[in-house]
Amino acid sequence: MSRNQALFERAQLTIPGGVNSPVRAFRSVGGTPRFIERAQGPYFWDADDQRYIDYIGSWGPMILGHVHPEVLEAVQRVLGNGFSFGAPTEAEVEIAETICRLMPSIEQVRMVSSGTEATMSALRLARGFTARSRIVKFEGCYHGHADSLLVKAGSGLLTFGNPTSAGVPADIAKHTTVLEYNNIAALEEAFKAFGNEIASVIVEPVAGNMNLVRATPEFLAALRSLCSEYGAVLIFDEVMCGFRVALGGAQQVYGITPDLTCLGKVIGGGMPAAAFGGRRDIMAHLAPLGGVYQAGTLSGNPIAMAAGLKTLELIQAPGFYERLTTQTTRLVHGLVAAAREAKVPFAADSLGGMFGLYFTGKVPESFADVTKSDIARFNAFFHKMLDAGVYFAPSAYEAGFVSSTHDDAVIDATVAAAQRAFAALAA
Ligand code: HOZ
């Protein structure tokens, strides 16, 4: 038995499903999850010492590749000073100043420890600010696992949202309305029906949790103008796409200014750190200034701040995003060409260092489009690539991530493996 298998069997005795986050269990692709022992640059190695080219990068944070020497040095420099104080530090001020400078829609920011905390807190703040309860989200956008966000659409616009997880009370789900992503008509209809009740609309401007799906510019523009017209708080969940699709996030790419933004992943450089921030008049409603309560023992943790600050410094290097975009484009173009050669229906898309692979003929615009993917083919492709030492996300519903260490040789090796995988799928 391999060490991966032995560890998975052992893990299942004491950890539900053997993993600390469900997608890691490989349930949708089948097979044995790889237990990772170490990583370097674009690679990681599992418990059987197999090397993989890593295209999840911890689901986004590792934009500089694993164990970047300058980030390592920055972390090592502060380790001896203490791991956590539960009191403010200068690094928290520095990271707040950096985030506000890089994303000008953010006038003030509060650090938290995870993306779930960021979105949950931003929504409470929006509700406190507007004194309204209803929130609107979009099908296929994932904003963490807070109760009010694990909701799917009811049978019609005016019916209540339904919980997607056991344990979420219907009484909470009923305050969430779920609409189709990129559907402007549905959005207009919803605002017409109950616009004055909407506290907030939360959206991933580039969705990364139903595979990669871009919002259309028209959809985001409609969202912005309807929220302004009806006094609803527009929240961009940029936990995945922030500092990934461009230095200024999706809001820079689209030129749309949200009221609040949620961040995570890259801002912690691989350590647990996330944030929410935006308009000063809204942020003033947060405790200790205002009546909306939010707190956290590990918020602004000094080790996480050191990793995050150094990461945010390095991604500002001239040409960083141009190179990242070039490498990611090289990957998706190579994969599309390989699939075409083998006559496998396949499409791919990318923005900055984030990409999506779809086993359908076209790039999707909604969750319904994504569900048309040939999942059996994706799973077969995933395993062939894994066997060839390439680790894509173990689900057809996840985006992929490229780091600055994925150079031409790494990308070309991936494409060569994909040529063989597609050829075998077509056979
Ligand atoms: N929520 C992540 C996928 N969109 C997975 C997180 C993890 O397993 O680390």
Side-chain angles (χ1 to χ4, degrees):
M1 184 189 292
S2 73
R3 278 207 76 223
N4 286 308
Q5 280 167 323
L7 280 170
F8 191 40
E9 284 186 15
R10 188 175 140 207
Q12 289 174 78
L13 299 176
T14 49
I15 305 173
V19 291
N20 283 314
S21 190
V23 73
R24 301 179 194 179
F26 275 33
R27 286 268 170 116
S28 53
V29 290
T32 306
R34 304 310 195 252
F35 282 67
I36 305 307
E37 283 201 342
R38 65 185 197 285
Q40 185 67 60
Y43 303 111
F44 57 35
W45 286 261
D46 70 11
D48 290 305
D49 210 27
Q50 284 300 313
R51 189 188 80 173
Y52 302 91
I53 300 173
D54 174 19
Y55 284 106
I56 62 166
S58 187
W59 304 97
M62 310 319 302
I63 194 166
L64 299 169
H66 291 284
V67 204
H68 188 286
E70 289 184 58
V71 179
L72 178 65
E73 205 255 320
V75 168
Q76 282 171 335
R77 207 175 325 119
V78 298
L79 272 176
N81 297 340
F83 297 170
S84 181
F85 311 121
T89 64
E90 185 173 351
E92 291 167 67
V93 186
E94 277 177 35
I95 206 161
E97 289 167 352
T98 306
I99 290 170
C100 292
R101 181 168 51 75
L102 295 177
M103 281 195 186
S105 75
I106 302 181
E107 294 174 321
Q108 288 206 312
V109 62
R110 171 69 52 91
M111 299 306 295
V112 291
S113 300
S114 74
T116 290
E117 245 189 287
T119 53
M120 181 187 79
S121 308
L123 284 168
R124 182 181 306 139
L125 176 58
R127 284 171 158 160
F129 175 72
T130 57
R132 300 174 182 173
S133 297
R134 196 191 281 263
I135 59 173
V136 173
K137 76 175 286 287
F138 299 95
E139 201 181 13
C141 286
Y142 173 78
H143 307 286
H145 57 90
D147 283 350
S148 57
L149 292 163
L150 292 179
V151 178
K152 62 174 185 273
S155 53
L157 182 63
L158 295 175
T159 57
F160 295 145
N162 295 318
T164 53
S165 163
V168 173
D171 264 356
I172 289 182
K174 76 178 185 194
H175 297 293
T176 304
T177 297
V178 183
L179 302 176
E180 192 184 33
Y181 196 64
N182 278 330
N183 185 335
I184 297 175
L187 193 61
E188 288 172 343
E189 202 188 331
F191 269 93
K192 211 162 135 205
F194 44 72
N196 293 326
E197 293 168 28
I198 300 174
S200 177
V201 181
I202 185 165
V203 65
E204 286 183 278
V206 177
N209 288 286
M210 53 170 155
N211 211 321
L212 180 145
V213 181
R214 300 172 188 232
T216 63
E218 299 76 20
F219 175 68
L220 290 184
L223 207 46
R224 177 64 278 174
S225 81
L226 286 164
C227 284
S228 300
E229 186 184 337
Y230 285 87
V233 174
L234 176 58
I235 302 177
F236 272 13
D237 177 350
E238 297 222 37
V239 169
M240 272 204 170
C241 57
F243 303 113
R244 253 294 162 190
V245 298
L247 184 59
Q251 51 199 271
Q252 178 194 319
V253 173
Y254 287 90
I256 304 260
T257 305
D259 299 309
L260 294 178
T261 300
C262 298
L263 298 169
K265 313 247 186 219
V266 170
I267 64 166
M271 298 279 180
F276 64 101
R279 273 168 47 188
R280 188 180 297 275
D281 61 325
I282 301 180
M283 296 301 283
H285 285 251
L286 262 192
L289 297 179
V292 177
Y293 191 69
Q294 182 279 328
T297 299
L298 293 174
S299 297
N301 172 270
I303 315 299
M305 295 303 94
L309 267 170
K310 182 51 80 175
T311 300
L312 290 178
E313 179 195 318
L314 294 172
I315 62 177
Q316 291 176 64
F320 180 87
Y321 282 90
E322 286 77 1
R323 277 196 303 280
L324 192 65
T325 301
T326 303
Q327 294 312 98
T328 314
T329 309
R330 184 182 184 98
L331 172 72
V332 297
H333 285 177
L335 295 178
V336 167
R340 193 180 306 124
E341 176 79 21
K343 299 196 171 43
V344 172
F346 178 83
D349 193 16
S350 68
L351 201 54
M354 214 172 150
F355 65 88
L357 311 179
Y358 325 99
F359 280 75
T360 59
K362 84 181 216 337
V363 171
E365 285 193 0
S366 68
F367 185 64
D369 287 350
V370 177
T371 59
K372 289 179 191 135
S373 267
D374 183 338
I375 304 292
R377 261 211 166 132
F378 167 79
N379 290 351
F381 176 77
F382 168 82
H383 277 293
K384 288 197 181 313
M385 295 302 283
L386 197 64
D387 290 347
V390 179
Y391 193 108
F392 285 124
S395 160
Y397 292 94
E398 299 285 354
F401 299 91
V402 166
S403 81
S404 55
T405 57
H406 288 72
D407 59 17
D408 286 358
V410 169
I411 304 278
D412 293 350
T414 306
V415 171
Q419 283 165 345
R420 294 189 293 273
F422 282 122
L425 290 186

